[in-house]
Amino acid sequence: MLITSYNPTELGDTLIAILRPDSADQKIETHATVTRISDAANDQTLGYNFFDVSKTLGQLDANGQVHLTQAQVDQLNDLLKANDFEPELVLDTDPKFVVGYVESAEAHPKSDHLQVTKTQVGLDKPLQIVSGSPNMQADILVVVAKVGAMMPDGLIIWPGELRGVESDGMIVSGRELHLPNAPQRPGALILPENYQPVGAAFDFDRAQTLFTA
């Protein structure tokens, strides 16, 4: 997993690279302009902070999530190696926001408002996703934020549990996707029939006109 973000207004010329979810106990190690954050229990890398990153990648025209090229990942790995860190960054090109088809939606055994869905996203088997959307039901097309997605507000989707039931992803609303004129209330974004093939990367440009003012 590799999720990168750049927010020069808040953090200056610093690229944040996230590989794994945060842990309770962390270890921080800095060599020159690179800081490694790791899990103190098992030494797995959680992420890196690359300071003065424009000296390595050039000027980044971004404010939020950055989608790096393979060449840029190679440059960062060279920087890690030069600073005695493992060159462990791997480019992740798998689309994280995809069209999903809800095969089934059943009541959560420990909740009166959550539903446990089986949602196809073009993989060998459907994802189990727990949803609190009041309009959730079977036989609809939706937008799924897969594990590793960064939402427009900066939230990262990791595998988790909701009241004891595993959930691998999130079925999202137009509001959560920051689509123009989306209703400002809870509810999954239900796509028109045959809007896009199941498993296809969600077309954010086309979606700008999904809601009318």
Side-chain angles (χ1 to χ4, degrees), residues 157-177:
I157 306 301
W158 298 112
E161 289 187 359
L162 287 173
R163 298 198 180 182
V165 175
E166 292 185 2
S167 185
D168 290 312
M170 179 179 176
I171 297 173
V172 297
S173 68
R175 176 186 62 173
E176 290 165 328
L177 294 175

Side-chain angles (χ1 to χ4, degrees), residues 14-34:
T14 302
L15 182 77
I16 307 298
I18 301 168
L19 279 66
R20 295 178 177 86
D22 280 342
S23 64
D25 295 314
Q26 299 179 1
K27 182 172 63 175
I28 296 175
E29 183 180 4
T30 299
H31 297 173
T33 60
V34 180

Side-chain angles (χ1 to χ4, degrees), residues 113 131-136 170-176 182-190 211:
H113 71 281
S131 174
S133 297
N135 60 343
M136 185 51 56
M170 179 179 176
I171 297 173
V172 297
S173 68
R175 176 186 62 173
E176 290 165 328
Q184 297 302 298
R185 59 179 182 272
L189 169 56
I190 300 177
F211 301 98

Side-chain angles (χ1 to χ4, degrees), residues 44-105:
Q44 284 190 328
T45 301
L46 304 178
Y48 290 96
N49 295 341
F50 295 95
F51 304 102
D52 297 326
V53 72
S54 61
K55 294 180 180 178
T56 299
L57 300 183
Q59 190 62 44
L60 293 174
D61 184 19
N63 187 14
Q65 186 171 13
V66 178
H67 298 284
L68 300 177
T69 65
Q70 182 63 62
Q72 289 172 319
V73 172
D74 291 343
Q75 288 176 295
L76 292 175
N77 274 326
D78 287 344
L79 182 61
L80 289 174
K81 189 174 181 179
N83 285 283
D84 299 320
F85 290 120
E86 182 71 22
E88 60 180 314
L89 304 184
V90 178
L91 182 66
D92 185 357
T93 60
D94 181 45
K96 300 305 182 202
F97 293 92
V98 299
V99 175
Y101 171 71
V102 180
E103 288 186 346
S104 64

Side-chain angles (χ1 to χ4, degrees), residues 9 62 89 100 107 201 204:
T9 303
L89 304 184
F204 276 90

